[in-house]
């Protein structure tokens, strides 16, 4: 008797679907790749052909140059041999998708990275009933329960109001997090110009080109120290403590990341104002998603897989960890 899901093959470098002759999020170049989203630990250059959403393909082109691209719209089904493939929103970053595979009467969902709470910069996660749900577990420990987004964003404006002679320097991952911080600020009514590091410009422009409103953005390097007083400046996390930041007016150093829940990480990064803001599901969102979908099996790609597999066992869900490599704990 065939085992559930035995028509896909987890390998260290990604998930291979022999009946479709295609790889999902491979960590090395492959002839045919299906890509869930544009973060570098899931989207690499050099594939023979790539199927992804138009937004993910635009991100890959910006990072790696032109791809042999095949854009797929949300909800569109494409037949790869005997496998029907559909892309649905994952709620992670712009263009992120879950890949739904249907074959031999079974449905397998490869979720990539995902979150369940609202985000003004991307389409919300779409739950899909399935036999096998392949999930991440980046924040797969009960200690990781993300606070309300609005409360974390309000910390920025409160700090700014209390320190008008300083600036607030926010470290945020270049793809997804930086744009989300900006859009969340706008949603809270912050209409002032926001200053950005040059490394963020290309991706911010890409988001705007795909319909995400970010308001007025100015290059931080073109502003004087006096102009930056009382302003919000956003930069990649690597810029928080390097020479670039020394020209800023006594910055209040902040960082937007789910990892800011871990105080030691904030101290190690010299972060004065930790903002717990994640583009991944927290523990409750992971487990609530599994309850909602009620899959026959759960496979965990990366992260804190032991705890999530154990949770599944206590809730009568068969689960296992996959030995995939190359997925990183980015500055989420």
């Amino acid at each position: 008797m065939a085992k559930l899901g035995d028509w896909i093959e987890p390998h260290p470098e990604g998930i291979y679907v022999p009946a479709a002759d295609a790889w999902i999020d491979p960590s090395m170049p492959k002839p045919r790749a299906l890509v869930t989203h544009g973060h570098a630990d899931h989207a690499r250059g050099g594939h023979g052909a790539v199927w992804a959403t138009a937004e993910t393909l635009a991100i890959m082109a910006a990072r790696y140059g032109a791809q042999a691209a095949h854009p797929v719209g949300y909800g569109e089904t494409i037949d790869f041999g005997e496998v029907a493939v559909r892309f649905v929103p994952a709620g992670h970053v712009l263009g992120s998708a879950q890949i739904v595979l249907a074959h031999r009467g079974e449905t397998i969902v490869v979720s990539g990275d995902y979150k369940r709470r609202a985000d003004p910069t991307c389409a919300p996660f779409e739950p899909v009933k399935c036999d096998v749900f392949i999930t991440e577990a980046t924040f797969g420990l009960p200690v990781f329960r993300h606070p309300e987004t609005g409360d974390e964003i309000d910390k920025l404006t409160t700090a700014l109001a209390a320190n008008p002679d300083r600036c607030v320097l926010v470290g945020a991952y270049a793809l997804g997090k930086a744009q989300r911080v900006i859009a969340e600020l706008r949603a809270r009514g912050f209409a002032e110009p926001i200053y950005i590091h040059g490394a963020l410009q290309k991706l911010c422009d890409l988001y705007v080109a795909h319909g995400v409103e970010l308001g007025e953005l100015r290059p931080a390097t073109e502003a004087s120290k006096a102009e930056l007083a009382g302003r919000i400046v956003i930069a990649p996390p690597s810029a928080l403590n390097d020479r670039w930041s020394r020209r800023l007016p006594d910055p209040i150093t902040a960082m937007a990341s789910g990892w800011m829940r871990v105080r030691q990480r904030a101290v190690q990064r010299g972060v004065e104002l930790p903002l717990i803001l994640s583009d991944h599901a927290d523990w409750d969102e992971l487990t609530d998603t599994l309850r909602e979908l009620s899959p026959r099996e759960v496979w965990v790609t990366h992260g804190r897989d032991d705890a999530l597999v154990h949770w599944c066992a206590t809730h009568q869900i068969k689960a296992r960890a996959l030995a995939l490599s190359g997925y990183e704990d980015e500055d989420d």
Side-chain angles (χ1 to χ4, degrees):
M1 178 180 288
K3 289 177 60 179
L4 179 64
D6 67 355
W7 46 274
I8 72 171
E9 301 175 356
H11 293 266
E13 69 266 35
I15 293 172
Y16 180 55
V17 187
D21 190 23
W23 290 78
I24 298 176
D25 289 354
S27 60
M28 57 183 63
K30 299 293 182 181
R32 288 152 62 99
L34 312 178
V35 176
T36 60
H37 67 282
H39 279 143
D41 57 339
H42 291 257
R44 274 85 169 185
H47 302 303
V50 180
W51 283 261
T53 65
E55 295 89 345
T56 294
L57 291 170
I59 291 165
M60 292 180 70
R63 290 185 151 186
Y64 307 124
Q67 308 291 306
H70 299 267
V72 183
Y74 287 136
E76 180 181 354
T77 299
I78 300 175
D79 291 327
F80 284 78
E82 300 174 352
V83 182
V85 177
R86 183 161 55 99
F87 284 60
V88 300
H92 179 54
V93 295
L94 180 70
S96 61
Q98 305 170 79
I99 297 176
V100 182
L101 308 168
H103 180 53
R104 291 195 333 204
E106 297 174 0
T107 300
I108 296 178
V109 174
V110 184
S111 63
D113 290 335
Y114 65 97
K115 68 174 177 291
R116 299 303 306 267
R117 59 188 64 196
D119 179 342
T121 69
C122 65
F125 179 94
E126 180 180 312
V128 177
K129 290 287 186 179
C130 54
D131 299 290
V132 178
F133 186 63
I134 302 180
T135 182
E136 59 146 316
T138 301
F139 292 108
L141 289 173
V143 68
F144 291 114
R145 289 183 164 94
H146 306 324
E148 289 298 318
T149 300
D151 293 344
E152 296 302 289
I153 294 298
D154 286 347
K155 290 180 182 178
L156 287 177
T157 51
T158 298
L160 204 63
N163 299 274
D165 297 328
R166 305 175 69 184
C167 72
V168 177
L169 172 61
V170 185
Y173 195 67
L175 170 57
K177 187 58 61 61
Q179 296 79 22
R180 184 180 175 202
V181 169
I182 295 167
E184 296 284 6
L185 280 163
R186 301 308 189 198
R188 304 292 285 182
F190 186 82
E192 297 297 315
I194 294 173
Y195 292 76
I196 62 173
H197 188 287
L200 306 182
Q201 189 69 58
K202 181 185 291 187
L203 287 172
C204 286
D205 290 346
L206 187 151
Y207 266 61
V208 171
H210 284 85
V212 179
E213 295 291 337
L214 298 179
E216 184 180 358
L217 304 180
R218 296 180 183 177
T221 51
E222 295 180 8
S224 66
K225 181 175 285 193
E227 182 182 346
L228 292 172
R231 301 295 192 178
I232 292 175
V233 180
I234 301 180
S238 60
L240 291 184
N241 298 304
D242 75 1
R243 184 176 300 174
W244 183 88
S245 67
R246 295 176 193 169
R247 58 187 306 278
L248 304 177
D250 190 17
I252 299 168
T253 303
M255 186 165 172
S257 169
W259 297 112
M260 291 297 99
R261 170 67 74 185
V262 182
R263 180 170 176 77
Q264 186 179 5
R265 290 213 181 195
V267 172
Q268 288 172 343
R269 301 297 289 261
V271 173
E272 183 178 348
L273 183 63
L275 305 174
I276 306 169
L277 187 69
S278 176
D279 284 329
H280 294 264
D282 68 6
W283 175 255
D284 289 334
E285 291 161 350
L286 289 168
T287 55
D288 287 350
T289 298
L290 299 185
R291 287 191 183 95
E292 179 181 6
L293 300 181
S294 299
R296 293 164 62 191
E297 291 190 15
V298 170
W299 300 354
V300 186
T301 56
H302 62 287
R304 279 71 206 154
D305 48 37
D306 288 350
L308 196 59
V309 168
H310 175 74
W311 182 91
C312 288
T314 63
H315 289 78
Q316 293 73 54
I317 301 173
K318 187 176 180 181
R320 66 180 175 118
L322 305 181
L324 303 188
S325 61
Y327 297 124
E328 301 170 359
D329 290 340
E330 69 236 12
D331 286 316
D332 163 66

